[in-house]
Each structure stands twice: as C-alpha cells, then as structure tokens.
Amino acid sequence: MSASPSASPSVPSSVSGAGSAPTQADLFDFVRRMAADAELIASLPLDPEGRTWVRLDGPGGSEAWLIGWPPGTGTGWHDHAESVGAFLTASGELKENSLAARLPADGWKTLELSDDVDRERRLTAGQGRAFGRHHVHEVLNDSSDRHAISVHAYYPPLPQIRRYSRSGPILRLEQVERPEDWQ
C-alpha cells in the first residue's frame, strides 16, 4: 500500500472551552465541518493505488487528517492507544469493522475473542462516529470502482498505533508503531 503525504493546509481550529482538551464531541464536530468543506475535499490528491492524506490543524492541539481511499484499500485491524477520536466519510462509502470489547492495554500478544464482539458499520457521505481510547477497528473502502474520502481527528495526538492480525476469533498483536514510524 502506498501513501502520499501532502502539505498541511491552513485550517482554523476552535474548541469550546479555551485551553481545555477537545472531547469526542468536539472532534466529531470538527470532522463534520471539515467534511462539509467542498474546497478542502476537492484539494486532496487521489492516487488510484494507494491511500493519500493531508494533515490538518485539529482543534485544541489534536491530530487531524484528510484521507483518500482508492477502491479496495483499508487500514487493517488497529487501535489508537490512549487517544480518543472521530472520523466521518466526506465522499463515497467506508466500512468500519470494530470490536465491542475492551482489550487489555498491555501485556498480551494473543487473545481469543468471544462470538458477540464483532460490529460492522457502513458510513456513507456525511456519516461518521466518535470513539474512545483503545477502540480496535479496521476501516475499508470495499468499493470496486469508487474512491472514498474521510476526515479523522485524534486527541491527544497519536502516541502510538497498535496493529493486529485477525484469524477467526484470534486477535494477535503484530506491531506497535510510534509517530516517528509514519511521519
């Protein structure tokens, strides 16, 4: 999977309560406003093979991204560690598979999941969600012929991303990435 970072546009940020950390609701409001900005969405360069992204100024010091998803691309299973977040589909459709279970933060390599933890959401343009710490999910554009574009925000800025593999009920921690690994 290839990815092409781009220069950060100047996007204003504002959060209710000056000096306070943004909440999940603040992050969701931000991604909704950014996704509604047709000029911003049109400015994202799209690659036919790999995801592309532009870093945005998120509210209250949060980390934010505008991401382009070619047909058939996805993130793989991962979480955002101690960060809360929100994302919203600006165009196209994304699928989110997630686990409705709180996983231990550290000290494990393999877990067997119960049968009732899988959740699936289809998020068309204008739809999204906020999530809490340690939210394990994968995001996919499973369209065969259409790009999707989404806006994401996280607070605090991502301290790490844990990547997992999944085989049936078995979830295995594969890798822990830190900001220096992807910036």
Side-chain angles (χ1 to χ4, degrees), residues 4-143:
S4 305
S6 301
S8 177
S10 176
V11 176
S13 61
S14 62
V15 172
S16 58
S20 64
T23 65
Q24 289 178 38
D26 293 327
L27 296 175
F28 191 74
D29 180 58
F30 171 81
V31 298
R32 183 180 19 238
R33 286 185 288 114
M34 294 302 101
D37 182 337
E39 187 175 327
L40 175 66
I41 301 309
S43 75
L44 180 66
L46 298 177
D47 181 307
E49 308 221 354
R51 287 189 297 150
T52 54
W53 60 83
V54 172
R55 189 165 189 157
L56 307 174
D57 278 336
S62 64
E63 182 172 342
W65 299 91
L66 176 62
I67 301 176
W69 306 78
T73 59
T75 60
W77 287 95
H78 67 283
D79 73 16
H80 304 282
E82 296 296 324
S83 297
V84 298
F87 73 99
L88 191 129
T89 304
S91 71
E93 178 180 279
L94 292 173
K95 178 171 88 167
E96 181 197 33
N97 294 319
S98 63
L99 301 179
R102 176 108 171 136
L103 303 181
D106 291 306
W108 65 276
K109 289 283 187 186
T110 303
L111 290 175
E112 185 169 352
L113 303 169
S114 63
D115 291 336
D116 61 348
V117 299
D118 288 299
R119 301 293 183 266
E120 178 182 308
R121 288 179 178 84
R122 294 251 172 216
L123 302 167
T124 58
Q127 295 179 317
R129 68 169 313 206
F131 54 86
R133 292 168 169 75
H134 305 286
H135 175 70
V136 177
H137 69 164
E138 67 175 346
V139 180
L140 309 156
N141 177 4
D142 60 6
S143 169

Side-chain angles (χ1 to χ4, degrees), residues 135-157:
H135 175 70
V136 177
H137 69 164
E138 67 175 346
V139 180
L140 309 156
N141 177 4
D142 60 6
S143 169
S144 61
D145 62 353
R146 186 167 179 212
H147 265 81
I149 298 175
S150 57
V151 181
H152 303 246
Y154 312 98
Y155 188 85

